[in-house]
Every structure is written in structure tokens, then in C-alpha cells.
Amino acid sequence: MQPEDLTRLFVERANAGDAAGLAALYEEEAVMAYPPGSVTVGRENIRRLFEKMLAQAPRFEPEPPLPTLVQGDIALTSTPPSDGAGARAQVVRRQPDGSWLRVIDQPEFRTPRG
């Protein structure tokens, strides 16, 4: 029931191999900037992407959330990744039942090389 819960739920469901459960953390028309250099749009496409990713049996470790910024029914969540991805950030929206779902997900920010 808190925006930060989504990060914990993501790790739990990913480690359980639950692609449908991962996709359920996203709004129907959510946008995810993944794979790198691409954009995946819509919960069903996100589910398919997670199925492919989870077929490789990756192991996810919890990452401590940075402070969440909340404005009404919109929040920005983020974590400092342990895998060197630079940063992770998500825009989430409160749903009518009080839960939160991801609307925009940027799982990797990398510093451009100059």
C-alpha cells in the first residue's frame, strides 16, 4: 500500500519466476525503458518481456529505496542499483483501491561516456 512496496514485490516475484505477477505491478498502458535502447509499452508486452528474462533464471537482490517523492496520487521511486546500472527510477500512480502501480519504469540509467 506504499509506493516503495513495488520494489520489494518486484524482487520477490522475479525470484519466484512469476512473470504475470511482475506485469501485475504495472498499469495496463505502462511504459518501460527496457531492453536498453528500447521501450516496451503495455502490461501484456511487459509480461512477455519478463517471461523471456526470467527464462534465464536471474537472481535479484533487494536494493534499499531512496526517499520517495509523492505529489497526490503520483510518486517517484528510485533505488541505487548494486549491479552498476547507474540508477533505477519509476513513476507510480495510486489506484482507486489505494494500491500503487508503475506507470513509467526506467530500470537503468547509465552515465553517457564523453
Side-chain angles (χ1 to χ4, degrees):
M1 295 304 276
Q2 300 298 319
E4 301 83 5
D5 292 340
L6 293 171
T7 299
R8 176 185 51 79
L9 292 169
F10 184 95
V11 171
E12 289 172 4
R13 293 175 185 187
N15 287 338
D18 184 2
L22 285 173
L25 300 175
Y26 293 80
E27 284 193 356
E28 196 63 42
E29 298 302 319
V31 176
M32 182 167 56
Y34 197 85
S38 300
V39 175
T40 302
V41 179
R43 183 184 290 154
E44 184 60 23
N45 291 326
I46 290 170
R47 182 192 59 77
R48 281 193 216 99
L49 177 68
F50 284 138
E51 282 179 349
K52 290 177 188 173
M53 182 182 71
L54 294 176
Q56 307 302 314
R59 179 80 183 144
F60 291 84
E61 295 299 325
E63 297 170 339
L66 295 170
T68 298
L69 298 174
V70 179
Q71 172 59 34
D73 290 336
I74 301 290
L76 176 66
T77 62
S78 57
T79 58
S82 57
D83 66 2
R88 302 187 205 291
Q90 301 81 33
V91 175
V92 301
R93 183 177 4 236
R94 188 185 337 257
Q95 305 300 299
D97 68 358
S99 66
W100 294 81
L101 293 177
R102 291 177 172 177
V103 179
I104 300 170
D105 187 359
Q106 177 77 48
E108 294 184 0
F109 284 96
R110 297 199 186 268
T111 304
R113 295 179 192 231

